[in-house]
Amino acid sequence: AMLTHFGRKGRDDLAIQKEVKSNKAEQTTTRSSPMVSLSILRRQARKPEFWLHLLSRTITMVLVSFLLFIPTFMTQCYEMSTSSAARVGSVFALGCLASVSTLAAKTYPSSDSARMQSQSSFQSNNDQSLTPIYKRKACFMAMFLALSTGCLSAQMLFLNSIIDLSSTLGSMLMFLWGFSLAIPFYLPSSMFSLKRGGKEGAATIADAFDVSGFGLLAVFNGFVARVIGVKGDLNSMLLHRKQAWIPVFSLMLGGSIVAMLSLFSAVWLEGKCDFKSTI
């Protein structure tokens, strides 16, 4: 009986020790998970495409978030009613939705589908003149942001009284502007985070992009509020109200150009690296 008792006790002690060790291992894994994600972030931060994605994502976040000021802009510069100006904000959002829902899969396919397309093209035709998927993706992103730059340039010409735009044309420009910004803002940085970060580091890389974007957005929103609050009140003349928005649109125009160049370079470098790894 004593041997049976102590034998069972020994087995129970071994089971308890194993359970304690497994719990410690789980705790160690849980504790090391943030360190793993941070190490992935540090590793990606050594590559130029990370900083190019960070720059373009930060700028496009500011441009997309201008949606908050569209009703005020349309009221002050196009002399629209408050309700009509609010609808223009919805038109901008509709442009974003139309772009993502119709062109996202064609202009910026996922890495898996892009790899399948490139492999099938390579197998079907060994011609070296075939354009890799990443080059087309980079060109599409540059085209979208070139359209954004064109919309901002037209608004700048209007604010400087070089051209005259009706409220209808102004609303159409807002639709095209939203259409041009949605895919460059949402897809490239998100795909980069998922592909380079994996299960452990994707959220950390995306958070780094968001922190930078929200930081610049806070500064930009404060600047816009200060500019339109001092010079853009409704009691001033239309010319003065339009001039008050010139610094704002000058910054956005310059940012759109920088985002176009940085995103084109980021997608090109990222795709070139992945393309070489599949050959």
Side-chain angles (χ1 to χ4, degrees), residues 13 133 176 222 252:
D13 290 341
I133 297 295
L176 290 175
M252 291 195 297

Side-chain angles (χ1 to χ4, degrees), residues 36-90:
V36 170
S37 60
L38 289 176
S39 66
I40 294 174
L41 178 62
R42 285 195 296 269
R43 186 166 62 251
Q44 293 302 321
R46 299 189 187 102
K47 301 176 182 179
E49 54 264 34
F50 171 85
W51 295 103
L52 291 169
H53 273 296
L54 178 71
L55 180 60
S56 63
R57 167 75 180 206
T58 300
I59 295 174
T60 52
M61 178 179 286
V62 171
L63 298 179
V64 169
S65 298
F66 189 76
L67 171 65
L68 300 173
F69 297 103
I70 287 178
T72 304
F73 171 71
M74 299 301 292
T75 300
Q76 293 185 357
C77 297
Y78 287 90
E79 297 185 307
M80 299 179 69
S81 64
T82 303
S83 58
S84 298
R87 283 194 290 269
V88 177
S90 301

Side-chain angles (χ1 to χ4, degrees), residues 62-63 66 69 72 76 156 159 214-232 242-255:
V62 171
L63 298 179
F66 189 76
F69 297 103
T72 304
Q76 293 185 357
M156 279 291 293
L159 293 175
F214 283 120
L216 182 61
L217 181 60
V219 176
F220 178 79
N221 286 351
F223 171 74
V224 175
R226 184 167 60 253
V227 167
I228 65 178
V230 172
K231 298 181 180 180
K242 290 169 65 176
Q243 289 177 347
W245 287 91
I246 291 176
V248 176
F249 275 81
S250 298
L251 287 176
M252 291 195 297
L253 178 59

